[in-house]
Amino acid sequence: SAIALFRALLSQSRAATGLHVDTRTAIQNAVRNRFRSNANLVSVRRSKIAYHAGYHGLDLLDSCVAGDDAATKRIEELIEKTPADVKAPPKPKAPKLSKQEEREARGEPEGLWGPSPLALPPPGKKMVDQRPYLEIKGERRVPQLVVATRLPFLRFKPQPENLSRFIRQKLGQKQRRMNYANVLQQYYFPLAEMEDTWDDVV
């Protein structure tokens, strides 16, 4: 409803040709500034006041578009009483900072926000770029494949966190499927059989 009111106010302010161009521009700026300042309102009382003011202004604009001189004069009086900062063009929003820039702005030491263990390794550090080693100490062993939930993969240490997370997700998915199958077999299937038996009796 707030977005619909916002669009209606802007639309009617453009359609109010009985007002001066500067007045219409001031109305549009005031609408944008007020809606931006009230975007995070959580108070019911203040929200009710803001909605009441918005719909009252919309009624005045509707009357102005319809050619009501009294409404036009009332709008001009209200715009004259409106503070200059409210009638000024909205200030552009500051560009959103990245998480790293926010941490730097707060002055957090770099050691507290190092690279995430789930982040992809940089080029040259990936397993496929490092293995097989060109030179090793001792006897070269055959790579071992392990199977987790029917998915074979190459086991190496230390195991990356993203691989551990993937295995946990696959195990959890398999367990949920098994639990669902047990519920079907132990509860819903017997219940369906009893319903069929009851239908035959009836």
Side-chain angles (χ1 to χ4, degrees):
S1 59
I3 297 178
L5 177 60
F6 175 75
R7 292 176 177 174
L9 287 170
L10 292 180
S11 176
Q12 290 300 87
S13 63
R14 298 188 188 99
T17 56
L19 297 172
H20 193 269
V21 176
D22 294 339
T23 303
R24 284 182 285 171
T25 303
I27 294 174
Q28 295 173 17
N29 292 338
V31 169
R32 292 189 175 96
N33 288 326
R34 285 305 186 190
F35 270 81
R36 179 178 294 184
S37 62
N38 295 332
N40 299 321
L41 274 184
V42 294
S43 172
V44 177
R45 183 182 63 85
R46 294 182 61 186
S47 299
K48 185 177 180 180
I49 294 174
Y51 272 107
H52 178 75
Y55 281 108
H56 179 65
L58 183 59
D59 291 339
L60 287 176
L61 287 173
D62 290 339
S63 301
C64 179
V65 172
D68 189 345
D69 295 336
T72 302
K73 184 177 180 180
R74 177 58 178 165
I75 291 175
E76 292 175 348
E77 293 175 353
L78 292 174
I79 290 299
E80 290 180 0
K81 297 178 181 179
T82 303
D85 57 337
V86 178
K87 295 185 292 185
K91 297 180 180 179
K93 294 183 179 180
K96 188 176 181 180
L97 300 178
S98 63
K99 292 184 178 180
Q100 180 176 350
E101 292 173 342
E102 291 178 355
R103 291 162 180 158
E104 291 177 352
R106 292 195 297 265
E108 295 182 3
E110 185 175 356
L112 296 179
W113 45 272
S116 170
L118 301 180
L120 295 177
K125 296 295 184 179
K126 298 180 180 180
M127 184 195 68
V128 293
D129 296 335
Q130 295 181 347
R131 292 174 173 79
Y133 294 126
L134 298 179
E135 297 180 0
I136 61 172
K137 295 181 180 180
E139 183 179 358
R140 186 182 295 273
R141 298 181 180 179
V142 178
Q144 296 181 357
L145 292 177
V146 295
V147 178
T149 64
R150 303 179 182 178
L151 181 66
F153 62 93
L154 181 63
R155 181 68 181 272
F156 60 95
K157 298 180 180 180
Q159 182 170 288
E161 179 62 27
N162 52 4
L163 179 58
S164 301
R165 180 183 59 178
F166 176 76
I167 295 175
R168 289 195 301 269
Q169 291 175 348
K170 296 294 289 185
L171 291 174
Q173 184 183 29
K174 183 178 181 180
Q175 186 63 45
R176 287 191 296 271
R177 289 177 178 175
M178 293 176 60
N179 294 340
Y180 182 66
N182 290 334
V183 172
L184 289 177
Q185 293 177 359
Q186 298 178 10
Y187 179 75
Y188 287 104
F189 287 170
L191 183 62
E193 293 176 356
M194 287 188 289
E195 288 182 353
D196 292 340
T197 304
W198 174 256
D199 291 338
D200 295 338
V201 172
V202 175

